[in-house]
Amino acid sequence: MDSYRFPDDFIWGVATAAYQIEGAVAEGGRKPSVWDTFSKRPGAIHNGESGDIACDHYHRFEGDIALMAALGVKHYRFSIAWTRIIPDGRGAVNEAGIDFYRRLLDCLAKHDIRPHVTLFHWDSPQALEDRYGSWRSREIAKDFANYVAVVVKRLGDRVVDWMTMNEIPCFTLVGYDVGKPGGHAPGTQVATRKEVWQTMHHALLAHGMGVQAIRANSPRPCRVSLVDCPATPVPVSESASDIAAAGKAYHDLLWNGACIFPALTGRYSEAFLAAKGKLGEVPDISDGDLRTIAQPIDALGLNIYSGSYVRAAATPEGYQILELPKGYPRLDMSWLNIVPDSIYWALRHAKEQCGFTKDLFISENGAACTDEIDIKGEVVDLDRILYLRSYLRQVHRAVAEGLPVTGYFHWSLLDNYEWSFGTTKRCGLYYTVYDSQRRIAKESARWYAECISQRRVV
């Protein structure tokens, strides 16, 4: 019964994001974010859905926190909506927004649940998009730092664990594109790829300035993290040559060289600079930017769902990314290939390739599944349990091998507004009946509660 057992202080948590669950987009002084605007753009969202109501968590947070308590969850990762706090992105503070999060935090404390607060999860103020193009401008880094200072100063008596940003590549590289609108908010078309990479640089700068703002304004000692979604190469066999090949690939794959490397090491990877330099795509970097970007953090959160298999090869790069066969198992996202080892290798690469030796945690992992209510009124999501069990065993492997892995947050507590997919993709431990806002515990909720209770993968 001790197999796959985690340390007693290992964090078992759940995660959500403000725009995906809160709703109440025009209540309590909140003004539009870029996602409010993007979701109204014809064709941008499946079925034309928006987050106007989502899970109505703004009005139902007490019941949702009770659901966490029923699972035995003692750690909750959630985000704060910038436009609830400073509706225009800069300027006047909305005390009603501060009060909402105070009440939420007090309710968590009542249930002995520790908050882990993400200060930005993609929903930047529309006012800043209108003013200067949001992430296209360096101005946003200063505005973000000022917003962070306001939140931390007012809520820091209730929060120890802060995360600056969630998945920088997703609101920069996916939000902007050349020759067409980006696929995520703000959905902006730009003229060159350099401009796209520039948005990421500005977001990294905002992260660094955000870290400084947290340190300067927290009323008590706190912990600061960044949450990233690195591309994860997995050696197809754990031979020395394939492991080395996966390590090389980590520097090259997707956005790694321009995001996690500067954030953790204070420099863009040589592979990125060489590849993009030939194309004239390297972003403009001002003096002191990299020092600001690489502010020391206390922990690194990784959002990991899948990965790519790699083997050693006689190529100029020294490796080959293997294409998955047509019958390879995946769940209810086109990219959600089941690669359990990816979660282990993401943790290991952070240490071995980026030299990060402080605490690591899985800030998101979970699965979109085709959940349905059966004739008994149950949601028996055995596919999600299969996925979670296999991934958590790989987290345990990382812990057993001595990597400094402190916790795991399941994505998500509830089925919610899944960005451009609207409400068509279900990732929650609780099934959301959107018409009535009823929550139904899935079989995976019961399974996860048992993992928490026994402190092991059951």
Side-chain angles (χ1 to χ4, degrees):
M1 292 297 291
D2 286 335
S3 62
Y4 296 109
R5 182 175 176 84
F6 284 84
D8 288 346
D9 60 353
F10 186 80
I11 289 170
W12 299 85
V14 292
T16 66
Y19 188 72
Q20 294 182 267
I21 65 167
E22 284 183 2
V25 296
E27 293 187 45
R30 182 190 182 276
K31 287 188 178 180
S33 73
V34 291
W35 268 97
D36 293 284
T37 302
F38 185 73
S39 66
K40 303 299 194 301
R41 184 181 296 178
I45 310 296
H46 187 81
N47 290 339
E49 295 177 320
S50 74
D52 287 1
I53 300 174
C55 300
D56 196 31
H57 179 74
Y58 183 84
H59 300 112
R60 300 170 185 266
F61 70 86
E62 291 178 332
D64 291 337
I65 291 171
L67 297 181
M68 295 178 218
L71 292 174
V73 163
K74 294 297 182 184
H75 297 267
Y76 176 40
R77 177 185 172 225
F78 67 96
S79 76
I80 288 178
W82 188 341
T83 56
R84 284 203 193 281
I85 306 301
I86 304 179
D88 292 315
R90 57 168 60 169
V93 175
N94 175 35
E95 296 299 338
I98 294 288
D99 180 66
F100 166 69
Y101 291 109
R102 280 201 185 107
R103 289 185 286 115
L104 189 152
L105 289 164
D106 289 346
C107 187
L108 289 170
K110 177 182 175 182
H111 290 275
D112 193 28
I113 297 173
R114 180 166 173 161
H116 299 253
V117 178
T118 306
L119 288 156
F120 181 76
H121 197 127
W122 303 6
D123 48 351
S124 50
Q126 181 62 37
L128 298 185
E129 174 67 14
D130 296 339
R131 178 184 289 269
Y132 51 62
S134 58
W135 300 105
R136 298 175 68 184
S137 171
R138 289 175 63 92
E139 285 190 61
I140 199 166
K142 183 177 179 180
D143 283 334
F144 176 72
N146 289 337
Y147 150 72
V148 168
V150 167
V151 173
V152 173
K153 191 176 295 183
R154 285 166 167 79
L155 301 179
D157 60 332
R158 293 164 166 83
V159 179
V160 171
D161 300 278
W162 298 101
M163 304 173 198
T164 55
M165 294 185 157
N166 182 79
E167 297 184 343
I168 287 173
C170 292
F171 63 87
T172 57
L173 302 190
V174 187
Y176 299 80
D177 207 345
V178 177
K180 61 181 181 179
H184 276 181
T188 301
Q189 178 179 328
V190 295
T192 66
R193 288 298 300 173
K194 178 177 178 175
E195 292 176 70
V196 177
W197 290 110
Q198 195 71 50
T199 66
M200 178 176 280
H201 183 76
H202 294 157
L204 284 166
L205 190 62
H207 153 71
M209 293 176 69
V211 174
Q212 293 173 327
I214 295 169
R215 304 272 191 221
N217 289 279
S218 179
R220 60 177 175 173
C222 63
R223 291 171 55 80
V224 185
S225 307
L226 171 67
V227 172
D228 190 34
C229 53
T232 304
V234 176
V236 70
S237 75
E238 293 192 5
S239 64
S241 59
D242 284 350
I243 289 173
K248 291 178 182 177
Y250 188 78
H251 292 248
D252 298 343
L253 235 56
L254 295 179
W255 45 68
N256 287 1
C259 189
I260 195 168
F261 276 92
L264 299 184
T265 71
R267 62 185 185 277
Y268 283 81
S269 78
E270 293 302 320
F272 173 81
L273 293 174
K276 301 306 178 185
K278 295 176 183 177
L279 302 172
E281 295 180 6
V282 175
D284 294 329
I285 304 169
S286 298
D287 289 345
D289 280 3
L290 291 173
R291 288 192 300 275
T292 298
I293 287 168
Q295 288 296 302
I297 55 176
D298 302 300
L300 175 68
L302 299 174
N303 293 354
I304 304 298
Y305 295 89
S306 190
S308 302
Y309 289 109
V310 177
R311 68 182 178 191
T315 64
E317 299 82 12
Y319 62 84
Q320 179 186 7
I321 305 293
L322 300 177
E323 291 191 16
L324 296 176
K326 291 181 179 179
Y328 192 89
R330 66 170 54 92
L331 291 175
D332 194 28
M333 289 282 194
S334 61
W335 51 265
L336 191 50
N337 304 300
I338 303 175
V339 186
D341 288 13
S342 64
I343 206 165
Y344 164 80
W345 281 99
L347 294 161
R348 181 165 163 178
H349 286 321
K351 180 180 179 181
E352 294 184 351
Q353 303 305 321
C354 298
F356 191 78
T357 57
K358 296 182 181 179
D359 288 349
L360 299 164
F361 62 98
I362 298 301
S363 39
E364 284 183 27
N365 173 248
C369 298
T370 54
D371 300 324
E372 295 180 322
I373 303 173
D374 66 17
I375 196 170
K376 296 180 180 178
E378 297 182 308
V379 181
V380 185
D381 54 338
L382 298 179
D383 44 0
R384 180 173 287 105
I385 293 173
L386 170 69
Y387 176 98
L388 295 176
R389 181 182 286 124
S390 60
Y391 277 68
L392 272 166
R393 285 175 174 173
Q394 290 296 317
V395 177
H396 182 272
R397 176 189 174 187
V399 173
E401 290 184 8
L403 287 170
V405 185
T406 60
Y408 172 94
F409 291 85
H410 178 268
W411 184 271
S412 176
L413 173 68
L414 307 166
D415 293 340
N416 56 38
Y417 183 81
E418 193 53 43
W419 306 114
S420 61
F421 294 102
T423 61
T424 64
K425 302 297 182 183
R426 295 183 176 271
C427 301
L429 296 171
Y430 287 90
Y431 186 97
T432 302
V433 183
Y434 291 102
D435 289 346
S436 65
Q437 290 296 339
R438 185 163 64 99
R439 280 70 156 131
I440 301 172
K442 302 177 187 179
E443 190 65 28
S444 60
R446 288 181 276 272
W447 177 84
Y448 192 54
E450 195 61 32
C451 289
I452 296 171
S453 175
Q454 296 192 32
R455 297 191 176 278
R456 69 182 188 93
V457 188
V458 297

